[in-house]
Amino acid sequence: MPRNQSTAAQRARAAQHETGAKYTAALRHATAAGTSPKVFSLRELLAECTTSSEWPGEHPEVDAEWAPRMFDSALLGGPVPYTTVLLLTGELAAMGLSAEMTMESRDGFHTALVACGGRRFELVLTQDDWVTELCLVPGCERYPVAAALIPFCEYRHLAERGGAELATMAWQWGHNQRQEFESTPTLAHSGDQGDALIAAAVVQGAFSKVAAELVDGCYGDPNLIDETYLDDAEAMAIRHAMDNERLRLRKRARSAAAHIRKLAGGLCICGADLRIAPEANVPARYCSAWCASSAANR
């Protein structure tokens, strides 16, 4: 984890608050035809965990020798392991005990899904100490690209985010990497997570903005390099690293666009050839900005 993350943490919490609101709205829509989702605070869950006596029943899915110690949770709809709840509490500690938590679903004695602060977690009920973070979209069982900073799965839902939201996530992830490589700033890079953001940006026609935010996040404002790094050699090395990262991201974008064109048979929905480069900031499935906007308005 980053060593000095006050600014990044503040931005991450702000993003979590924003995406958490979107999550709540989505979950409300998904459950509109049924019962309302159960909402409670992290403090209430922790109090229930630490004050409840052990559940006396037999685990229906695990032999008694291997069964976790559990308490009967009114908030989580039945018995859950003590240590699993404590592990979840540790994951969410930075959000504060007043953080609002939502019970999304429960699958008997197998799993329970909860959400808090723009993050979703699967609690495994068959053993201790197993909490897995999931994509933020309700119902999705895939992993997020990077937990709170990029809380959507690469397989599908990240590419459904708008360009502005992708750019925000790009800067936050880049800044996280800058702090991670604070002692060796020329080695900072956006990595596989940055590649996932670029692939999503190509889908949305937002490559230039997302790539710029990734690079700025990783290395700082390019206009302030000389002020940030007073040594000329170090400043030159940072600029070289930035150029290399821009080139790498451009290659990743072109590869993602080529893959989309291949899946589309090389043709836009209007029948025109798909040849436009990602730098044109047109969604890769379309031959022009006009064609993309026309399709969006249908």
Side-chain angles (χ1 to χ4, degrees):
M1 292 297 293
R3 288 177 289 278
N4 301 308
Q5 58 175 357
S6 57
T7 301
Q10 291 170 4
R11 290 180 179 274
R13 283 194 290 270
Q16 288 168 3
H17 176 75
E18 179 184 351
T19 54
K22 293 178 182 178
Y23 169 85
T24 302
L27 183 57
R28 187 183 302 115
H29 176 75
T31 58
T35 59
S36 300
K38 184 178 295 185
V39 180
F40 47 91
S41 70
L42 181 58
R43 177 183 287 105
E44 290 176 290
L45 180 61
L46 181 60
E48 186 184 56
C49 174
T50 54
T51 60
S52 297
S53 57
E54 187 170 354
W55 178 62
E58 294 185 3
H59 200 298
E61 305 293 337
V62 184
D63 291 340
E65 180 183 2
W66 305 105
R69 294 182 58 198
M70 310 176 82
F71 69 96
D72 196 0
S73 172
L75 299 175
L76 296 180
V80 295
Y82 287 103
T83 52
T84 298
V85 172
L86 292 176
L87 182 60
L88 175 66
T89 302
E91 290 282 346
L92 300 173
M95 298 181 190
L97 293 176
S98 297
E100 185 179 90
M101 182 174 292
T102 305
M103 172 74 173
E104 181 178 319
S105 65
R106 179 176 176 129
D107 179 13
F109 278 78
H110 294 283
T111 59
L113 298 182
V114 300
C116 183
R119 301 170 72 182
R120 292 174 65 239
F121 295 89
E122 179 184 67
L123 281 61
V124 176
L125 307 180
T126 55
Q127 64 185 80
D128 291 332
D129 295 335
W130 196 339
V131 175
T132 303
E133 187 156 0
L134 301 177
C135 171
L136 186 57
V137 175
C140 184
E141 298 182 356
R142 295 181 179 274
Y143 303 137
V145 172
L149 297 177
I150 312 175
F152 301 95
C153 65
E154 182 178 2
Y155 176 75
R156 174 184 175 186
H157 293 118
L158 184 62
E160 295 178 350
R161 315 318 298 176
E165 188 174 355
L166 290 172
T168 297
M169 287 187 279
W171 190 92
Q172 291 171 342
W173 176 251
H175 189 65
N176 178 80
Q177 292 298 91
R178 184 182 183 188
Q179 292 184 312
E180 187 70 28
F181 290 91
E182 183 180 23
S183 61
T184 54
T186 58
L187 298 182
H189 58 89
S190 59
D192 293 341
Q193 295 83 352
D195 288 353
L197 285 166
I198 289 297
V202 169
V203 173
Q204 295 295 331
F207 164 70
S208 296
K209 181 62 175 176
V210 171
E213 293 296 319
L214 277 171
V215 174
D216 285 5
C218 281
Y219 305 102
D221 188 335
N223 297 315
L224 300 177
I225 296 299
D226 289 330
E227 297 179 22
T228 304
Y229 301 95
L230 300 181
D231 181 80
D232 290 344
E234 189 172 18
M236 184 177 296
I238 290 294
R239 288 196 180 90
H240 182 65
M242 295 174 73
D243 289 341
N244 284 340
E245 182 68 356
R246 291 190 188 100
L247 178 61
R248 192 186 70 81
L249 295 177
R250 189 177 302 117
K251 289 180 178 178
R252 177 68 183 97
R254 292 182 176 180
S255 175
H259 178 67
I260 292 172
R261 288 194 293 265
K262 181 178 179 180
L263 292 177
L267 297 176
C268 177
I269 58 172
C270 71
D273 289 342
L274 290 172
R275 296 179 180 177
I276 195 165
E279 293 89 332
N281 296 316
V282 173
R285 182 63 183 84
Y286 300 96
C287 62
S288 67
W290 179 87
C291 195
S293 62
S294 297
N297 293 327
R298 288 176 184 174

